[in-house]
Amino acid sequence: MILPPEAHALVQVLALHFTSPTYQRFSVLLVGALVSTGRRTVANLLRTLRHLAPGHPTDYRRVLSRAPWSGLALGCALMRFVLDHIVPDGPVRLVGDDTVDGHKGPHVYGKARHRDPVRSTHSYTAFRYGHKWVVLAVLVKFPFATRPWALPVLIDLYRSADDDRKRNRPHRTPARIMCSLLRLLLIRFPDRTFVFAGDSGYGTHDVARFCHRHRGRLTLVSKHPFQHRRVIRNSLRG
């Protein structure tokens, strides 16, 4: 599989965290994701590549389900590449949010009923069954775009309170999960300072206390949810 020359430096960094057979299939899926249109499912990627993807289709699905690689190691390797090549100095601007991915299957691990912020309004709440991912991204500036792009580097799965209760696990809110992701960056990159921005869902006391403890290297930019409600209430009174 021939990759663009511009991608060789990044792919070589990621290849260190795969076994040789897994890396070969990963590079095929990577090329398929670049040239495919529509949904980036494994089936659609293989349908686009056809004879350029040798082997059985199940081998490519196992890259995402059974292959021995670590998403944490890949995320930190990607973050190191971004810091070395795009943000070599100065504070690193981070943004965080959560997204809901619908999966209605009866045997989907971690599936729960989540509020869909895209389809919900002030008078109507839409729900989706599936996964809720907490995403931490770094803002990067590209020469072909006027606005910075949010490049995801670390993600974690949010599990509902009911699921944690059934599995006898301590429940973690999206804000606490985001604190865990920020802690990983502080540990892995001790020589850098960060500025984290999030919506009112991440302007909680947990995130504020965490950023205050690490105020020498981490700055929080957000709006407290109670402050947001107070502003809305005052505007309605006016």
Side-chain angles (χ1 to χ4, degrees):
M1 196 49 69
I2 300 177
L3 293 171
E6 294 78 7
H8 288 173
L10 174 59
V11 173
Q12 289 175 359
V13 171
L14 301 179
L16 299 176
H17 303 278
F18 293 104
T19 61
S20 180
T22 303
Y23 168 70
Q24 297 298 327
R25 299 184 182 99
F26 167 77
S27 61
V28 172
L29 294 177
L30 179 60
V31 174
L34 294 175
V35 300
S36 296
T37 59
R39 299 183 61 186
R40 263 65 175 184
T41 61
V42 176
N44 192 30
L45 301 185
L46 298 179
R47 190 180 303 112
T48 302
L49 296 175
R50 296 186 180 182
H51 63 278
L52 296 179
H56 197 274
T58 304
D59 296 335
Y60 295 92
R61 293 185 174 90
R62 288 176 178 172
V63 172
L64 304 178
S65 61
R66 297 180 60 183
W69 54 271
S70 171
L72 173 61
L74 287 179
C76 292
L78 177 61
M79 187 66 180
R80 172 57 66 187
F81 180 86
V82 172
L83 295 182
D84 293 341
H85 294 80
I86 303 179
V87 194
D89 52 9
V92 182
R93 295 184 298 168
L94 304 173
V95 291
D97 203 355
D98 49 75
T99 179
V100 178
D101 187 16
H103 290 283
K104 300 180 180 179
H107 304 292
V108 177
Y109 175 80
K111 181 188 70 173
R113 181 172 176 260
H114 304 290
R115 177 182 177 273
D116 189 354
V118 177
R119 297 186 297 172
S120 299
T121 62
H122 292 289
S123 59
Y124 171 75
T125 301
F127 294 94
R128 295 183 68 183
Y129 285 90
H131 293 149
K132 183 175 183 178
W133 297 97
V134 179
V135 183
L136 180 61
V138 56
L139 289 180
V140 296
K141 187 69 175 179
F142 292 109
F144 55 81
T146 57
R147 296 182 179 181
W149 284 34
L151 177 63
V153 290
L154 293 176
I155 62 173
D156 200 352
L157 178 63
Y158 166 79
R159 296 171 176 86
S160 64
D162 294 336
D163 185 63
D164 287 334
R165 193 178 303 109
K166 293 178 182 178
R167 300 177 184 271
N168 197 22
R169 291 184 306 219
H171 180 62
R172 296 191 306 163
T173 62
R176 292 184 178 180
I177 295 177
M178 185 61 68
C179 291
S180 301
L181 299 180
L182 291 171
R183 184 181 292 108
L184 287 173
L185 293 185
L186 292 174
I187 295 174
R188 293 297 184 98
F189 307 98
D191 56 335
R192 302 302 300 266
T193 59
F194 302 92
V195 178
F196 172 73
D199 58 13
S200 59
Y202 297 98
T204 62
H205 292 291
D206 292 330
V207 180
R209 282 193 292 264
F210 176 81
C211 294
H212 180 72
R213 289 196 301 267
H214 302 276
R215 57 187 178 275
R217 298 178 51 211
L218 180 61
T219 303
L220 172 64
V221 180
S222 183
K223 180 181 290 185
H224 195 281
F226 295 104
Q227 179 186 2
H228 181 62
R229 296 173 187 172
R230 192 182 304 114
V231 171
I232 295 177
R233 184 167 58 250
N234 293 338
S235 63
L236 291 176
R237 290 176 180 176

